[in-house]
Every structure is written in structure tokens, then in C-alpha cells.
Amino acid sequence: MKDKKDLRSNTKSSKKLMLVAQIIAGITAVIFFVMLSRGIANAAISHKISNQYQDRDLSVLKAKTNNKSLAFIGRLMKSTSDVVITNDNRNEYKKIESLIQDRKNRSKEVTDLFNGRHDYQDDVSKQSLDDLDNVLLNEKNQDVYQKQKNKLDTVRIWFEQTSDAKRYINKMWDKFNSNKSSLSIKEMSMLNTYYRLIRNKKVKQDLRDPVEQMNSSAKQNKGESSKVRTAKAELEELKNSPLTEKYKPANVDIVSSLKFSSGASDALKDAGITDKKVLYYDKSKGRLAIMTNVDGNYVASDGYINVQSGQVPSGKYSIKAIIRNAGSSAAIVTDSSNSSFGKYIASADSDTLSSLNITNADNDTANYNSADPVFWFKNNSALSSSIYFGSGSTIGFIYSGGTSYSNGVQVNSSNLSQLQASLNSGILFFVK
């Protein structure tokens, strides 16, 4: 009997040991499963977070983050305890959320500058533009920064153009009211050019009535301009002069009274240039001028314009186009091997480009010197209002604002407007 009792006791002990062993094994399995899940989950999250960066060490986000992937991580973190998701990953997720939100905030600030597609808001000022310009520097992704910067620069150019236009129109309005007479043809041309450059609805509305009154007065006063009267006087003098006097033709373009620059005139003559009108750029003096040929000498008919920055090789170029408010599909062919190199296309679509044997035309290159096979104006807002010049192998621009580029001439916005009003395609551009 004793042996049987010992046997039963041993059996119960064995069962208890087996039960304990099973419990321990179960706990171990659970711990192993949790740790395995924890490791897999955190590795996956870390991988997905890393994929949002262009450079994680420098905290440079990709231009386009994966919103679906980030939304999944967010839901996972909300539904999972801290036991599974590490604090490091939670902190990394919060950091990336903050970076994305900051980017959205900057983008909204830029968008809020616009009042529709072609105007800026009334509360825009030079200070607000400068402040936002500094804020945009917090964006570390160069592509995103450049797009935001381009939009800001677009508004800055509009703001400067509008400010210049307001000053000029008010000046002409004061002159008009003080003299009680219509303005000259040139003044009216400049007046209407400036008015078209205004990119603020309120400013345009405020100036509409003065501009209409000055235009109306100019139409009613169709008398001869001072230039025509002076030219007629010269003709009368010629008629009454003795036959022995050397013939001197009447100068209809009354610019001979202006002092001509012997240096500029000599430089143009030495280059074999005889065109009636030439856009002249003296790099050594950093200035531009529209030169008019008067009796064999060149004079700066509208004076000289100071150049802010210029990087154009000496030589002869041609004004290809006067660019005003280039649209999102405006482009220039930059493929040097293409027979249409340098061609300006106001509205370039796939059919147009295909007819020119151009494929894979999409790019976001802001520097027209390196864009290939076309340069898109939408990539560089500073050139949406500019003067396009070129030669057989070169394209270049006269423009306001933006960045300094090779084959580029930077002037202020009012001087650019003056040049745009006075020039047209085909005029020779000579760089000394």
C-alpha cells in the first residue's frame, strides 16, 4: 500500500511540474511573440519614416511625402501601446509631422499672397514679402523651396511693378491737372504700359478714372505733336535757305538736340552697325541704352539705364520677343541640335513639341542655360515678364528680380517696363 501511495504522490507532483512547465512555456511564447511583433513593427515604422526623407541626417524631407504611409503609421501608433512602439519611433513620427505641417503653413502663406491668378492681395507689403522670404529658408528641400520662392518672387515683381506704375501714373496725373493739357505721345504710351502692368485689383480700380480721363483728353487733342511741328519748321527753313547752302535733311526723329556718346557711337560704327535703332549694353560701365542713328551718329534717345547685374559675352544678338505675362505652357526650345533652337512657343503642348521632334520635354529647371530640351517659363517666374534675346547658339534675357544667370541682364522693374514699351522683336542688341 505504501508503494502505491508513493506512486500516486509522485504522479501528482509530475502533473504539477508539467502544468508549471506549460505555463512557463506559454508565457515565454507570449513574450517571444510580443518581442518579435515589437521588433517587426518598429523596424517597419522606422523604414517607412526613413522613406519620407531625402536626407534623414539633415532632416530634409522628400518633395512629395507618402501621406498614405504616414496615415497608416499614425493609426498604428494610436491603437498600439508603448510596449510595442518605441518612444524613439513615436518621437520621430511627431518630428516628421511637425516638418510636414511647417511646410504646409509656408505653402499657405505663399498662396495667400495671391488674389486670383493674376493679382496680389491688398495687405501685401515689401516688409511682408521680406519676412516671408526669410521664413521660406526653413524649407531644406531645394525643389520645394525653389517652387515656393518662385511664387513669392512672382508676387514681389507684381508688387514692384504696381508700385512703380502707381508712382508714374500719379506723377502724370499731377502734371495733367497742373498744366490742364494732354500729355505727350510718349508719356501716354508709358502711362498705358504702366497701367497694364498693375497686378492689384484695388490699385487698378483707384487709378482707372485718372487713366481714362488722360486717355480721353489725348484723343480729343489730335493736334500736331511738338516733334512734328519742329520737323515742319526745319523743312520751312530748308525751303527758304539759299541754294548754295549745303543740304541738310529734316530730322523727323527730333533727337539731334541730345548729346550723343562718342564712345558708344564709335563702338557701334567699329562693329559695322548701321541700324536705325540698337539696344546697346556697355558692360564696363554697367548700363543699357536704346541708341538711335542720327546723321551717322548714335544718341541715347531715352537716356541710360543702370544694370544691376549682367553676364553676357560681347557680341551681336537679336531681340527675339517681348515677354509679358508668360503662361504656364510658354517655352523656348533649348536643344542645340534641334533646327528650331531658340524658338519661342507661347503655348507649347505635346502636339506642338512633337511636330518639332521634341520628346521628354518635362523638367523643372529654373536656369534656362541648363534646361533641356526646352525651357519652361513656369519654372522661373522672374522671366514671365522679360525681354528675350539670342543668337544662333545662345538664349538670354533682360529681366527684373530673381537670380543672376549667365546670358542674363538684370534691371529694375520700371526700367524693364520702359524697355518693353520701346523695343520690339528684331531689333539688334549689341554688347560691348
Side-chain angles (χ1 to χ4, degrees):
M1 294 296 291
K2 185 177 179 181
D3 291 340
K4 289 181 179 181
K5 185 177 180 181
D6 290 341
L7 184 60
R8 284 197 299 270
S9 178
N10 289 335
T11 302
K12 287 180 180 180
S13 297
S14 296
K15 287 181 178 181
K16 287 180 180 178
L17 289 172
M18 287 293 292
L19 181 61
V20 170
Q22 288 175 350
I23 291 171
I24 292 172
I27 293 171
T28 302
V30 169
I31 293 172
F32 176 77
F33 177 75
V34 169
M35 293 303 293
L36 181 63
S37 299
R38 185 175 188 267
I40 293 173
N42 280 287
I45 289 171
S46 182
H47 178 70
K48 287 182 181 295
I49 288 175
S50 292
N51 280 342
Q52 309 305 316
Y53 286 98
Q54 183 174 295
D55 188 321
R56 188 167 182 173
D57 292 336
L58 298 176
S59 298
V60 182
L61 288 178
K62 288 181 177 179
K64 291 184 178 179
T65 53
N66 191 326
N67 294 330
K68 289 184 178 179
S69 180
L70 288 169
F72 170 75
I73 296 174
R75 290 194 299 271
L76 182 63
M77 287 188 172
K78 287 180 181 178
S79 62
T80 310
S81 69
D82 292 340
V83 175
V84 176
I85 308 299
T86 64
N87 285 331
D88 285 345
N89 271 339
R90 289 184 182 276
N91 291 334
E92 279 296 319
Y93 178 73
K94 289 178 182 177
K95 177 183 176 182
I96 208 168
E97 268 191 322
S98 177
L99 290 173
I100 291 173
Q101 187 58 51
D102 288 344
R103 176 181 287 180
K104 288 180 179 178
N105 292 341
R106 288 190 293 270
S107 180
K108 184 177 183 302
E109 285 191 67
V110 172
T111 302
D112 287 346
L113 296 172
F114 290 81
N115 183 9
R117 293 182 60 188
H118 304 296
D119 297 282
Y120 64 84
Q121 295 286 359
D122 295 341
D123 60 352
V124 170
S125 65
K126 183 180 183 303
Q127 187 62 53
S128 66
L129 292 172
D130 290 343
D131 290 344
L132 183 52
D133 212 339
N134 288 327
V135 170
L136 294 187
L137 293 174
N138 293 318
E139 174 57 63
K140 296 181 180 180
N141 185 293
Q142 188 59 36
D143 292 333
V144 175
Y145 168 77
Q146 193 61 56
K147 288 180 180 179
Q148 293 179 343
K149 173 70 170 171
N150 285 346
K151 290 181 179 179
L152 174 65
D153 284 345
T154 295
V155 175
R156 189 184 290 279
I157 291 169
W158 289 355
F159 177 78
E160 290 177 355
Q161 286 178 342
T162 300
S163 299
D164 288 341
K166 187 176 178 180
R167 282 192 293 270
Y168 185 83
I169 293 172
N170 284 332
K171 177 183 175 183
M172 291 299 102
W173 180 239
D174 291 341
K175 180 179 179 181
F176 174 77
N177 285 313
S178 62
N179 295 337
K180 298 300 180 184
S181 61
S182 61
L183 304 176
S184 68
I185 294 173
K186 180 177 178 180
E187 286 171 332
M188 288 307 303
S189 174
M190 290 294 292
L191 178 84
N192 289 304
T193 298
Y194 270 119
Y195 187 68
R196 286 193 296 271
L197 290 173
I198 294 174
R199 288 292 177 264
N200 178 274
K201 292 178 180 178
K202 185 178 184 302
V203 173
K204 197 156 197 170
Q205 179 62 38
D206 291 343
L207 295 175
R208 179 170 290 135
D209 184 58
V211 170
E212 287 178 352
Q213 285 191 48
M214 285 184 277
N215 273 302
S216 177
S217 177
K219 289 177 182 178
Q220 291 172 7
N221 291 276
K222 294 182 179 179
E224 296 170 330
S225 70
S226 60
K227 286 187 178 182
V228 175
R229 287 197 301 271
T230 306
K232 283 192 172 184
E234 288 187 15
L235 285 171
E236 287 301 319
E237 264 187 46
L238 178 63
K239 287 179 184 178
N240 298 325
S241 63
L243 295 176
T244 55
E245 187 175 322
K246 185 179 179 181
Y247 172 73
K248 181 179 179 181
N251 176 26
V252 178
D253 298 319
I254 308 300
V255 290
S256 57
S257 60
L258 297 174
K259 292 182 179 179
F260 71 90
S261 168
S262 59
S265 190
D266 291 344
L268 292 169
K269 288 179 185 178
D270 291 344
I273 296 171
T274 58
D275 298 48
K276 181 65 176 177
K277 182 184 284 189
V278 179
L279 179 60
Y280 175 73
Y281 174 31
D282 187 335
K283 291 194 294 182
S284 64
K285 295 181 179 178
R287 61 186 190 179
L288 278 167
I290 297 175
M291 310 297 290
T292 303
N293 191 330
V294 180
D295 296 338
N297 290 317
Y298 281 95
V299 297
S301 50
D302 291 317
Y304 286 91
I305 290 174
N306 289 325
V307 172
Q308 295 176 339
S309 174
Q311 301 180 48
V312 184
S314 300
K316 298 178 183 179
Y317 305 86
S318 175
I319 301 298
K320 299 290 187 181
I322 307 300
I323 311 296
R324 294 187 177 91
N325 300 318
S328 59
S329 59
I332 291 176
V333 178
T334 55
D335 180 1
S336 58
S337 65
N338 192 296
S339 59
S340 296
F341 171 79
K343 180 180 178 64
Y344 171 67
I345 310 170
S347 181
D349 54 27
S350 56
D351 291 337
T352 304
L353 295 174
S354 178
S355 68
L356 298 175
N357 296 319
I358 295 174
T359 57
N360 301 320
D362 290 341
N363 66 76
D364 57 1
T365 308
N367 187 342
Y368 49 87
N369 295 295
S370 55
D372 186 60
V374 299
F375 165 69
W376 296 96
F377 282 83
K378 64 184 178 182
N379 294 332
N380 194 326
S381 59
L383 303 181
S384 61
S385 179
S386 60
I387 297 170
Y388 165 42
F389 66 85
S391 63
S393 59
T394 303
I395 69 171
F397 293 90
I398 301 171
Y399 58 99
S400 173
T403 304
S404 177
Y405 295 106
S406 296
N407 302 316
V409 180
Q410 286 179 297
V411 296
N412 66 39
S413 58
S414 59
N415 286 335
L416 176 62
S417 300
Q418 179 184 339
L419 289 172
Q420 287 178 316
S422 304
L423 297 172
N424 54 270
S425 59
I427 287 178
L428 177 67
F429 177 34
F430 180 72
V431 181
K432 177 189 173 185

